[in-house]
Amino acid sequence: MDYNQLEALIKKYWDCETSLEEEERLREWFRTHEVPERFKETAKLFSYFDEQKQKATDKQFDEKLLKNVQAKSK
């Protein structure tokens, strides 16, 4: 995706008009590319979303692990 396409997709995102697939394309782009200064704030937002998703996944794993340990100790 070139910068013009990226800029158009970001505008579409802020206008709440992106599909889930387009949002995933944005997330992937921000994860794998050097981000130009003008997109740094948007990149931080997507990075935050990734961090929160990872924390939720880690919490779910911890809860399942705890349940398994508790069940085995009974």
Side-chain angles (χ1 to χ4, degrees):
M1 170 172 15
D2 67 29
Y3 288 126
N4 289 332
Q5 292 171 321
L6 177 63
E7 193 162 27
L9 195 53
I10 290 171
K11 181 184 180 324
K12 192 174 174 182
Y13 176 81
W14 288 120
D15 290 341
C16 301
E17 296 175 351
T18 49
S19 67
L20 294 177
E21 292 80 15
E22 289 170 323
E23 291 175 21
E24 182 56 36
R25 284 179 56 208
L26 282 171
R27 275 191 288 282
E28 183 63 26
W29 194 93
F30 285 120
R31 273 189 225 114
T32 59
H33 289 80
E34 182 68 29
V35 179
E37 189 62 38
R38 65 184 177 179
F39 300 132
K40 293 278 186 186
E41 290 300 314
T42 304
K44 288 179 188 179
L45 178 68
F46 280 90
S47 177
Y48 173 79
F49 291 155
D50 283 343
E51 290 170 16
Q52 295 307 306
K53 185 176 181 179
Q54 185 60 48
K55 285 180 184 179
T57 301
D58 291 347
K59 183 179 178 183
Q60 290 172 343
F61 175 78
D62 291 345
E63 289 170 354
K64 286 181 182 180
L65 182 61
L66 181 60
K67 285 180 184 178
N68 287 338
V69 169
Q70 289 172 342
K72 289 181 181 181
S73 67
K74 290 183 181 179

